[in-house]
Amino acid sequence: GLTLPQAYRHVLLPNAYRIMIPPLTSEMLNMVKNSAVASTIGLIELSAQASKLLDYSGYAYESFLAITIAYVIINIVVMRLMKLVEKKTRLPGTFG
């Protein structure tokens, strides 16, 4: 007894939203990781900056370690947030 817009609003779109969340999580993580891969194009610039930092302070290793840890933390935060969204929107009776 629903009109077409009501059927979309109350039945189809909520189910589609719940089904599309897990692939969206995957795509979001791929985007974060691929942007990091794209930034390796500037490896020569990073190496030059690391040598300047080494000349200035002698702590080049620690700066690269901090950048690596920050990258891992960003990925963990994104994964946890998307897991929360997936859990809240999970359809009953489905795995995920």
Side-chain angles (χ1 to χ4, degrees), residues 14-86:
N15 285 330
Y17 175 70
R18 290 181 179 136
I19 291 170
M20 78 174 191
I21 291 294
L24 185 63
T25 301
S26 217
E27 285 300 317
M28 184 178 293
L29 287 173
N30 282 337
M31 187 171 54
V32 169
K33 292 176 184 178
N34 289 339
S35 66
V37 170
S39 70
T40 60
I41 294 170
L43 184 61
I44 295 170
E45 291 86 9
L46 287 175
S47 299
Q49 291 299 323
S51 66
K52 287 180 186 178
L53 182 61
L54 183 60
D55 291 340
Y56 179 72
S57 67
Y59 296 114
Y61 178 75
E62 287 82 358
S63 65
F64 282 113
L65 183 65
I67 290 169
T68 303
I69 290 171
Y71 174 72
V72 169
I73 288 172
I74 288 170
N75 278 329
I76 289 172
V77 167
V78 168
M79 282 179 16
R80 298 282 169 129
L81 285 174
M82 292 309 289
K83 279 284 189 198
L84 252 168
V85 170
E86 284 180 30

Side-chain angles (χ1 to χ4, degrees), residues 18 83 85-96:
R18 290 181 179 136
K83 279 284 189 198
V85 170
E86 284 180 30
K87 186 182 277 188
K88 294 275 186 191
T89 60
R90 185 176 300 144
L91 287 172
T94 60
F95 296 105

